[in-house]
Amino acid sequence: MGNFIGQSVKRVEDKRFLTGKGKYTDDIVLPGQTYACIVRSPYAHARIVNIDKSAAEAHEGVVAVFVGKDIDEAIGGVPCGWQVDFKNGETMKEPPHPLLVRNKALHVGDGVAVVIAEDRRTAVDAAELVDVEYEELDAVINMATAISGESVLVHDDAPNNTAFDWELGNPKADVDAALASAHHVTTLDFTNQRLVPNAMEPRAAIGSYDATNDKYVLYTSSQNPHLIRLLMCAFVLGLPEHKVRVVSPDVGGGFGSKIFHYAEEALVIWCSKQIERPVKWTSTRSEAFQTDAHGRDHQTKCQMGFDSDGKIVALKATTLANMGAYLSTFAPAVPTYLHGTLLQGLYTTPLINVDVTAVFTNTTAVDAYRGAGRPEATYLLERLLDTAALEMEVDPAELRRKNFIPAFDGVEQPGYQTQVALQYDSGNYDPVLDQALEMVGYADFRKEQAEARANGKLLGIGFSTYIEACGIAPSAVVGSLGARAGLYESAQVRVQPTGTVSVFTGSHSHGQGHETTFVQVVADKLGIPMESIELIHGDSDSVAFGMGTYGSRSLAVGGTAIVNSIDKILEKGAKIAAHKLEASVEDIEYKEGAWNVKGTDKSIGFGDVALTAYVPHDYPEGLEPGLDFSSFYDPANFTYPFGCHIAVVEVDAETGQVSLKRFIAVDDVGNVINPMIVDGQIHGGVAQGVGQALLEGAIYDEYGQLTNGSYMDYTMPRADDLPAFEVGRTTTPCPHNPLGVKGAGEAGTIGSTPAVVNAVVDALWHKGVRDLQMPLTPQRVWKAMQSSNGHS
Amino acid sequence: MKIPVSVNVNGSACAKEVEGRTLLVDFLREDCGLTGTHVGCDTSSCGTCTVLVNGIAVKSCTVLAAQVEGDEVTTIEGMASNGELHPIQAAFKEKHGLQCGFCTPGMVMLAKDLLDHNPNPSADEIRHGLEGNYCRCTGYHNIVDAIQSVNA
């Protein structure tokens, strides 16, 4: 622990948010700004026969109306950032995704026209006047139907509606043989249901074109402004990047849904050029349900085999992954590189095979949502483990412990090579389980449970011991896996002449508190007050090309880039100090804000060295002036946080209502810079994971209508759905980055969902309930109780 | 057709000519220039737009600006005074009751109403009281702690 690192420093950014001075995209008003409203397809699959926009154009206050065919064919579609080719080597099917529909709308909410007006309400009114004649086509929603060979095609050039198929791990025949000879095999068949991310700030974008300088500015609610600029300029609009500035100001949550390049971003830029005025588009919540990329939506069959001692002998998983109608930016990576590669879990399973088929349907695109693939992997493993324990009548905690990979620190002991491509960096799994068991009082729990049952109460406990891969991602690794970009991060540390410091990061904060934690790191390393340091992020004109924030990567990758820049500052500063102190550089050390000559009282402060660097009258020969360094850091490996989550639930026998009584989360995210912020990340992550287990789920009808596409119908956790969370921690440093950090943004979501479902199944097992599909609504739980054999 | 609407916002009059259909939240954001009040949904479900009308927490997307003609409206911008955070704001900072900040203004205004009516609420009472406002970042844990700490 340093002066700042490891301390729960209160957040620097809070004041502006607490006083209403945050600046989100929709808060920005540019001179001459117009407002866009997008006309969206009400059908999941429909051919555009004709569009009459004359009435809308004639409406008072309307500036312009554009339809898909108004946009030059040379303008590209929204690209996908990852490529996963078919097992047979055939290229992934990547159908075009135009900014506005040219011929066929492929999901409800697909953009058909854009109306631009002097004010928001006029734009909405005029959008009603755009007369679109549709020829409705049969839609395909169900994945099994989509790949059956009998289905309509979402894209004519994607046979069987298949984007790609993919396999990883040991040969399927070996896994099948091990399962066939196993002492016990647990089988599950489940849906990891589709979720709608629902960051509280709806997406927004403002495009602004300056004809004088032929320059563009895009303000957008994005987690990664540089990536948006790259994708939009290089693949969609064909604009030179130096003429385009992308700014992500304050962003009201992302959870993955604001990683991706969306059509509206390129559309407002294109429109601003056409009308030579700024164009703002702000999503309504209903539009968000239809157009923000959704998460999860896997259909999985899996089997886990055990020997007579309870050791896992094999795991097999087959997954259909819904891509929706288009391939969103990260979509192909989610069920593959972020899911299949995590199926080793914390266990020594010697044989693993995972098979994934990515399916197009007439639904909103599916992409990374908090955890992205890792929650699906964890759900698969942890549901199998608890179910196996119940089937074999062994203790679920001990069954896990028996299968844990032995501790390794990644320094003295090598990293752990999995059967599914990854090499874990460091891990020590018993202590998280021990701590969680202690916190829940497991020694007494089973007695309490028996007493509760005797009193007619249905009490259950569920476990989840998870691992995740964070700090995405080593470029060489992800390049070989199909990423079309390296996932490094940039940082610039600019020491100002008077010794204050501006830090520029390619990471982007949208709730994570970087303006505090990153500054803590810099203050600690430089030994200067936090007030002397400012973090700048989210503006492509001031920040070097960076990759943004997602995949719990900011501190592990972006923080390391900052540390590397600080090292360069200190190295150069030592040369200046040595000159000023008339000592040799080897005799200089940096401590608490000053360079000292070892063993003497001679020293020079950080501010004096900074001033010398910018007023270099008395200066080392041959050394450049200035004190300003950039770094790009490309990690050596992913980081691998892990943890143990335990849920305690009570089920109402009469109504099926699940009450989450306690939730214990013991997470090991490596070293921690700000415990308060890490705990907050865990709390929020757990809430979203519990939301999936109990409440959330997008429901499409057979026609492709999202039947719960508003907050009136889609249920997210409210304050009274959740208990106070009990959070614990162990610390196993990451061996391959200087801060020893692993990342904490997704842990809560990844670990929590199966713990809750396991707890409900545990509560009802003695009633004959063997499995439940999420979300565990009272109706589903009640029905399961009624139909189970054990019902009395 | 536009109509004149005058509302006393945070102690000073905001008088504008607006369309009759203008919602209070749009009046505050677009006509009074107070963008601290946010819009998170279109079904009056999320509470990010919560303000006080004559001291009572109201979702400002559910009322027309014209309905509060002459009333006292307090928004998040009116909570701090003389550069000092209101105790509720200070408690949110102290307990890390906010992350992305988008729901925060609504949460603070709702908390003001809640504490005005029940100065020392239990955690359960707070959770019940927050039921109309969504937060997607914090899992509510630290929001509950923050509110409970204000008069503790």
Side-chain angles (χ1 to χ4, degrees), chain A residues 188-193 296 300 302 339 343 373-385 464 466 692-693 749-758 761 771-776:
Chain A
L188 285 175
D189 185 344
F190 60 83
T191 300
N192 199 303
Q193 83 273 30
R296 319 282 190 257
T300 293
C302 54
H339 168 253
L343 290 178
R374 290 150 290 169
E376 296 90 318
T378 302
Y379 189 77
L380 189 164
L381 288 170
E382 299 307 302
R383 283 287 297 118
L384 281 170
L385 259 299
S464 166
Y466 72 90
Q692 173 166 24
T749 312
I750 291 166
S752 57
T753 307
V756 176
V757 176
N758 284 339
V761 173
D771 193 14
L772 287 162
Q773 299 293 323
M774 297 188 291
L776 308 187

Side-chain angles (χ1 to χ4, degrees), chain B residues 127-149:
Chain B
R127 286 181 182 274
H128 183 67
L130 293 178
E131 209 258 350
N133 283 33
Y134 271 134
C135 171
R136 195 62 159 163
C137 291
T138 65
Y140 306 99
H141 182 111
N142 287 340
I143 294 178
V144 174
D145 277 1
I147 296 171
Q148 202 161 25
S149 75

Side-chain angles (χ1 to χ4, degrees), chain A residues 204-456:
Chain A
I206 308 171
S208 176
Y209 176 65
D210 167 10
T212 315
N213 298 300
D214 194 29
K215 286 193 77 170
Y216 299 83
V217 184
L218 172 69
Y219 295 90
T220 180
S221 52
S222 174
Q223 299 175 221
N224 48 355
H226 287 96
L227 198 59
I228 300 308
R229 189 184 62 168
L230 173 66
L231 295 173
M232 183 175 75
C233 291
F235 298 98
V236 185
L237 298 176
L239 296 173
E241 279 176 275
H242 67 295
K243 291 286 191 185
V244 179
R245 175 185 175 209
V246 178
V247 182
S248 290
D250 287 328
V251 172
F255 316 116
S257 68
K258 293 173 181 170
I259 301 172
F260 325 121
H261 181 33
Y262 286 97
E264 293 87 359
E265 293 169 319
L267 193 60
V268 293
I269 283 286
W270 182 85
C271 289
S272 73
K273 171 86 181 282
Q274 310 308 306
I275 66 169
E276 295 200 7
R277 288 176 65 181
V279 179
K280 178 194 276 188
W281 169 80
T282 301
S283 175
T284 63
R285 181 57 61 186
S286 301
E287 272 182 296
F289 271 94
Q290 294 179 359
T291 65
D292 291 6
H294 295 172
R296 319 282 190 257
D297 209 347
H298 285 192
Q299 192 75 46
T300 293
K301 293 179 195 296
C302 54
Q303 289 184 301
M304 186 178 266
F306 297 84
D307 69 15
S308 55
D309 291 331
K311 292 279 280 182
I312 305 168
V313 295
L315 170 70
K316 183 178 169 183
T318 308
T319 289
L320 297 180
N322 203 335
M323 297 286 104
Y326 300 107
L327 286 183
S328 177
T329 308
F330 265 78
V334 176
T336 53
Y337 310 129
L338 294 173
H339 168 253
T341 55
L342 270 295
L343 290 178
Q344 189 79 51
L346 298 182
Y347 315 113
T348 54
T349 312
L351 291 166
I352 302 170
N353 181 276
V354 51
D355 191 300
V356 175
T357 302
V359 184
F360 289 117
T361 56
N362 291 114
T363 59
T364 298
V366 180
D367 204 329
Y369 165 59
R370 201 170 193 170
R374 290 150 290 169
E376 296 90 318
T378 302
Y379 189 77
L380 189 164
L381 288 170
E382 299 307 302
R383 283 287 297 118
L384 281 170
L385 259 299
D386 262 32
T387 305
L390 285 161
E391 287 173 348
M392 296 191 286
E393 298 183 348
V394 299
D395 185 274
E398 291 314 308
L399 181 62
R400 286 176 169 79
R401 195 190 297 283
K402 185 174 285 183
N403 284 286
F404 276 167
I405 296 162
F408 59 103
D409 62 11
V411 181
E412 300 294 320
Q413 304 94 11
Y416 183 83
Q417 181 60 50
T418 72
Q419 303 297 318
V420 275
L422 300 178
Q423 188 179 54
Y424 294 166
D425 56 351
S426 59
N428 188 8
Y429 306 137
D430 281 313
V432 290
L433 178 59
D434 292 339
Q435 193 180 132
L437 292 174
E438 173 76 27
M439 286 169 71
V440 80
Y442 193 55
D444 300 324
F445 180 82
R446 293 297 178 189
K447 193 164 150 254
E448 196 186 323
Q449 184 179 35
E451 283 169 10
R453 279 182 189 163
N455 293 325

Side-chain angles (χ1 to χ4, degrees), chain A residues 10-11 18 24 26-27 120 125 197 200 253 285-286 369 680-681 684 688 696 717-720 722 725, chain B residues 21 29-30 36 38 40 42 45 76 89 93-94 96 99-102 127 131 134 136-138 140-141:
Chain A
K10 306 305 174 205
R11 296 205 321 172
L18 281 163
Y24 302 89
D26 189 56
D27 300 338
R120 198 192 304 265
D125 288 346
M200 291 313 301
R285 181 57 61 186
S286 301
Y369 165 59
Q681 290 292 311
Q688 288 182 358
E696 299 184 36
R718 294 190 182 272
D720 55 0
L722 299 169
F725 303 121
Chain B
R21 61 177 170 170
R29 287 180 57 79
E30 295 170 8
H38 298 147
D42 43 14
S45 311
I76 189 70
Q89 294 169 310
K93 179 176 170 124
E94 181 65 26
H96 188 34
Q99 291 184 24
C100 81
F102 197 79
R127 286 181 182 274
E131 209 258 350
Y134 271 134
R136 195 62 159 163
C137 291
T138 65
Y140 306 99
H141 182 111

